[in-house]
Amino acid sequence: MNTKIMKIDGRSLELADKIIKSGGVVGMPTETVYGLGANAFDTGAVEKIFRIKGRPNDNPLIVHIHKDYDISTLVSDVPDYAAALQKAFLPGPLTMVYKSRGVVSKSVSCGLDTLAIRIPSHEGAQKFLKYVNLPIAAPSANISKHVSPTSAEHVFNDLNGKIELILDGGKCTGGIESTVLDCTGEIPVVLRSGLITREMIARTVGECGEYVYKDGARALSPGMKYKHYSPNCRTVMFANSEAGKAIELYSKERANGVRAYILCDDATAVKTAVEDIINLGKTETEIAENLYSALREGEEKAELIIAIAPEKQDGVMVGVMNRLSKACS
Ligand code: AMP
Ligand code: MG
């Protein structure tokens, strides 16, 4: 199969629609990362996603809908705080978990009685969702465990020959996956951190919890227990306060002929002043936006990525650190 990359227009949308309605999968842009989408009502199509990615079959998928799609046909028991959050943050990089009505394929939620719903703000994603007029189940469009894709080219590099079409909506500006928020309890609980931070949610509805997965426990959000975001080269991470140790390792590896690169934010790059740096950028939104392309650039040119964590650790950096530490574990 030849994988086509097409800009989003009438012709590509027509093809995408044909693929989706005949039980196939399509690479699609969102404002966070690229997704691998299929008709959420079609079990055969949803199972293709798991097969193509090599995704563990207990890691549920997020369902993407158009902003005018009637969410009450898919889920029930939407609490008042969730309605307030929808109003404040949607369309946008926030996935909300509700009690499922059980109308989409059981394979989407892997047997859970809940369903994760996302309304992406990306214009191309909205056009696609409107055109197909279906809920689209979509995880990130990478081979399982590999770094998430933030461009059509990244998707192509992972899935060339495995899917028919990638809708090209340009580079993702968000850069890390959506915040996943459990909305089935008394208060909202962050299951996966992202660009809509716990602080932003708490400011809007008064309270917001955070779920911390402990090894071996039954995972509230099954995705948490898996290895993720790994570049295809050796990686190691140091805290910002240990930057000196990172430079020592870099010098030692370089002296031994190893192509080692330091991966860090701009402030740390200035401080360390080594030659071979992959720079994540200055602001927290820039760092989030560049994280996955930097890890993919790293695996292309480095034998060893030595990451130094940014000094700032709150807000959006909670999500960045979650990805970076998993990538380097
Ligand atoms: P991905 O699409 O690969 O970025 O992963 C989706 C994330 O959403 C994973 O961490 C899943 O565990 C989580 N998720 C999806 N559906 C549910 C659900 N019904 N309940 C809890 N977490 C979910
Ligand atoms: Mg993923």
Side-chain angles (χ1 to χ4, degrees):
M1 181 190 303
N2 284 328
T3 301
K4 284 193 274 291
I5 300 182
M6 292 172 82
K7 294 267 177 243
I8 299 174
D9 57 19
R11 212 165 53 94
S12 61
L13 287 172
E14 196 184 325
L15 177 59
D17 187 62
K18 203 178 108 209
I19 294 170
I20 292 292
K21 286 178 184 156
S22 58
V25 301
V26 167
M28 60 178 273
T30 78
E31 70 278 24
T32 57
V33 303
Y34 271 70
L36 184 62
N39 178 0
F41 292 127
D42 182 340
T43 298
V46 172
E47 282 174 356
K48 270 186 201 158
I49 294 177
F50 286 88
R51 267 204 313 279
I52 290 169
K53 285 189 53 125
R55 185 179 176 98
N57 63 6
D58 66 346
N59 190 4
L61 306 180
I62 293 170
V63 165
H64 296 67
I65 55 174
H66 182 260
K67 62 182 171 37
D68 298 329
Y69 198 91
D70 183 2
I71 171 182
S72 71
T73 60
L74 302 175
V75 297
S76 66
D77 303 4
V78 175
D80 289 345
Y81 68 74
L85 292 170
Q86 289 174 7
K87 202 157 165 241
F89 298 115
L90 301 187
L94 176 66
T95 297
M96 301 170 79
V97 176
Y98 306 101
K99 187 161 172 23
S100 177
R101 286 199 188 275
V103 295
V104 300
S105 163
K106 281 196 172 57
S107 301
V108 170
S109 286
C110 305
L112 298 174
D113 59 3
T114 53
L115 187 64
I117 304 265
R118 169 152 147 67
I119 303 178
S121 62
H122 189 285
E123 201 190 320
Q126 281 293 319
K127 280 188 184 157
F128 167 62
L129 292 165
K130 185 170 181 145
Y131 201 102
V132 296
N133 192 28
L134 282 169
I136 295 292
S140 50
N142 51 281
I143 295 292
S144 201
K145 304 186 181 63
H146 191 216
V147 182
S148 299
T150 52
S151 70
E153 191 193 351
H154 291 164
V155 180
F156 187 85
N157 290 342
D158 273 30
L159 301 180
N160 180 24
K162 297 187 165 149
I163 62 176
E164 202 178 319
L165 174 66
I166 302 164
L167 291 173
D168 186 355
K171 194 169 176 280
C172 303
T173 52
I176 58 173
E177 296 83 351
S178 60
T179 305
V180 178
L181 190 70
D182 180 28
C183 297
T184 62
E186 292 284 302
I187 63 162
V189 176
V190 171
L191 300 178
R192 176 176 74 187
S193 47
L195 296 173
I196 308 293
T197 64
R198 181 184 177 185
E199 294 86 347
M200 288 160 75
I201 295 165
R203 242 181 278 131
T204 310
V205 293
E207 252 182 306
C208 181
E210 185 175 20
Y211 170 72
V212 182
Y213 172 68
K214 290 189 197 67
D215 260 344
R218 194 184 72 85
L220 248 179
S221 182
M224 301 224 162
K225 61 184 190 218
Y226 291 110
K227 193 174 157 62
H228 262 106
Y229 323 119
S230 310
N232 299 320
C233 66
R234 282 194 296 137
T235 51
V236 55
M237 187 171 81
F238 290 88
N240 199 273
S241 58
E242 310 238 283
K245 282 190 187 152
I247 307 304
E248 241 171 70
L249 176 66
Y250 166 85
S251 306
K252 197 176 114 211
E253 294 284 347
R254 280 276 161 176
N256 288 333
V258 174
R259 273 181 287 116
Y261 280 77
I262 297 280
L263 182 140
C264 62
D265 66 359
D266 193 68
T268 313
V270 170
K271 227 168 37 191
T272 56
V274 303
E275 200 167 322
D276 296 298
I277 284 198
I278 300 172
N279 193 326
L280 291 167
K282 286 198 172 101
T283 63
E284 58 179 18
T285 46
E286 241 172 70
I287 293 168
E289 180 179 346
N290 295 332
L291 180 66
Y292 289 138
S293 52
L295 288 169
R296 282 183 181 250
E297 179 192 336
E299 70 182 4
E300 298 239 313
K301 59 186 189 190
E303 289 168 288
L304 171 65
I305 297 173
I306 303 171
I308 305 174
E311 199 169 2
K312 186 173 182 316
Q313 296 275 308
D314 59 350
V316 171
M317 282 307 155
V318 176
V320 169
M321 280 308 296
N322 164 278
R323 278 39 169 218
L324 187 59
S325 47
K326 282 189 180 174
C328 297
S329 65

